[in-house]
């Protein structure tokens, strides 16, 4: 199915790392009828607000890039939030997309959906074959539910909802907040601040802290108080707050032993892959059925749904057999250890100090390399290599402090 250039496309999470890159990519391709709402304007966990938004806007396509996200620390502290907030967002948006006859939906998940000890590289068929990694289990379960919702709506109603599972992402508009950022931006900011402390560059430290203040979690609040820590605080309080996150004079402490292997994808590459799939890949192509809609009966042709009437409801023909794991991995197919990543970040920031590994803290999943054969078969491969991407991210971060 082709989306016309004037199609109205709603990007949920358009201020985020991936959502903003997808918006930019669509505009570059000539799609300008784009809709976005900030969290203040539209709370996606609120069913009434989401329904009202779809009633008013009636989008032709939806990109669901909004999520409640964070690293190991955040996943450990806010387990209930990670499962509940993400389930609410997904249920509300996918349900209203169906009820309003949205023609195409792209759901963004995460490769944390795969089992902790899945065979490497992880192919789509690894899903639900063994237990998940405990440290991000709630987030993973929510994302599994989201991709199964897309799959199930397709199989019951003949919709065209596609789920993509990106590997670890990094890039412009990344989250560098010390409380809930992912490994790459967290590591980069820690190394940068440790260098500034050693250089006694308090102007730069205060600029950084004013741009991204620390909102102390409970353990830190006991030491320094509950108020945010920013560049207006005294030196001692700033140093104590940074030390809580392992940031000291020419020294950075990172969680684990550095041995886990990770794959990283530049966010603008992820956006390009997402838009490529949105515009050129249909569910029928993924499951290997050329005329996908012809194997369904009673598929809706308008945007009206009567849940009390069986007529107009879809349903896969029994002869299709079991259809599952229709999501698409998006990544590079390349990996490196967290320790090797830290060396690359150190070189990029020109940090001459020491990196300490706190082996009392969890490593997370030992290895997370994905199989991207399906993605390659569909016609897309990545462009930005890691060394180039880390340099671009550091340049973007420094520029963001000036804005």
């Amino acid at each position: 199915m082709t989306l016309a250039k004037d199609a109205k496309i709603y990007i949920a999470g358009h201020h985020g790392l991936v959502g903003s890159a997808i918006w930019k990519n669509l505009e570059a391709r000539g799609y300008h009828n784009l809709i976005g709402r900030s969290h203040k304007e539209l709370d996606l966990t609120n069913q009434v607000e989401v329904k009202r938004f779809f009633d008013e806007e009636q989008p032709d396509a939806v990109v669901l890039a909004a999520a409640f996200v964070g690293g190991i620390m955040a996943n450990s502290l806010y387990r209930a939030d990670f499962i509940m907030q993400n389930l609410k967002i997904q249920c509300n948006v996918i349900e209203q997309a169906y009820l309003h006859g949205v023609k195409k939906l792209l759901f963004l998940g995460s490769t944390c959906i795969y089992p902790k000890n899945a065979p490497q590289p992880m192919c789509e068929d690894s899903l639900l074959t063994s237990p998940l990694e405990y440290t991000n289990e709630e987030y993973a379960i929510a994302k599994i539910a989201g991709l199964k919702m897309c799959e199930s709506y397709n199989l019951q109603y003949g919709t065209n909802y596609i789920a993509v599972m990106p590997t670890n992402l990094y890039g412009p508009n990344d989250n560098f907040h010390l409380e809930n950022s992912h490994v790459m931006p967290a590591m980069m900011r820690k190394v940068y601040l440790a260098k500034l402390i050693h250089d006694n560059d308090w102007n730069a430290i205060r600029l950084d802290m004013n741009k991204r203040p620390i909102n102390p979690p409970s353990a830190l609040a006991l030491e320094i108080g509950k108020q945010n820590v920013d560049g207006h605080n005294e030196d001692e309080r700033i140093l104590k707050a940074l030390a809580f996150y392992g940031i000291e004079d020419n020294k950075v402490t990172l969680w684990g032993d550095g041995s886990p292997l990770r794959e990283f994808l530049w966010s603008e590459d992820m956006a390009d892959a997402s838009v490529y799939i949105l515009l050129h890949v249909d569910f029928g192509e993924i499951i290997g059925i050329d005329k996908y809609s012809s194997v369904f009966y009673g598929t809706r042709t308008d945007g009206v749904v009567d849940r009390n009437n069986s007529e107009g409801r879809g349903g896969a023909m029994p002869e299709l057999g079991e259809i599952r794991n229709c999501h698409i991995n998006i990544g590079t197919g390349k990996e490196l250890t967290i320790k090797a990543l830290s060396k690359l970040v150190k070189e990029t920031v020109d940090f001459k100090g020491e990196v300490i590994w706190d082996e009392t803290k969890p490593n997370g999943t030992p290895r997370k390399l994905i199989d991207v054969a399906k993605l390659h078969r569909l016609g897309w491969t990545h462009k930005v290599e890691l060394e180039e991407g880390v340099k671009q991210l550091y340049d973007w971060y420094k520029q963001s402090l000036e804005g």
Side-chain angles (χ1 to χ4, degrees), residues 322-342:
E322 293 185 357
I323 295 177
R324 53 164 58 97
N325 302 333
C326 304
H327 55 285
I328 305 168
N329 288 340
I330 299 184
T332 66
K334 301 179 181 181
E335 63 185 343
L336 81 168
T337 64
I338 296 298
K339 187 167 287 187
L341 175 65
S342 72

Side-chain angles (χ1 to χ4, degrees), residues 318-387:
E319 54 265 31
L320 289 178
E322 293 185 357
I323 295 177
R324 53 164 58 97
N325 302 333
C326 304
H327 55 285
I328 305 168
N329 288 340
I330 299 184
T332 66
K334 301 179 181 181
E335 63 185 343
L336 81 168
T337 64
I338 296 298
K339 187 167 287 187
L341 175 65
S342 72
K343 291 179 181 178
L344 179 57
V345 170
K346 280 183 62 177
E347 291 172 2
T348 302
V349 179
D350 192 27
F351 177 64
K352 308 298 184 184
E354 184 180 13
V355 171
I356 304 295
W357 298 94
D358 184 355
E359 298 186 16
T360 66
K361 297 294 194 297
N363 272 326
T365 305
R367 192 182 181 198
K368 282 182 65 178
L369 179 66
I370 57 173
D371 186 328
V372 290
K374 182 189 287 189
L375 178 65
H376 290 175
R377 285 197 304 271
L378 292 169
W380 190 91
T381 57
H382 78 284
K383 301 174 182 65
V384 178
E385 298 297 345
L386 185 62
E387 293 77 11

Side-chain angles (χ1 to χ4, degrees), residues 8-13 35-37 42 44 53-54 59 61-63 93:
K8 182 181 284 190
I9 304 174
Y10 167 48
I11 302 173
I35 318 166
R37 294 288 186 276
L42 174 62
L44 293 177
F53 168 78
F54 274 83
V62 170
V63 176
V93 174

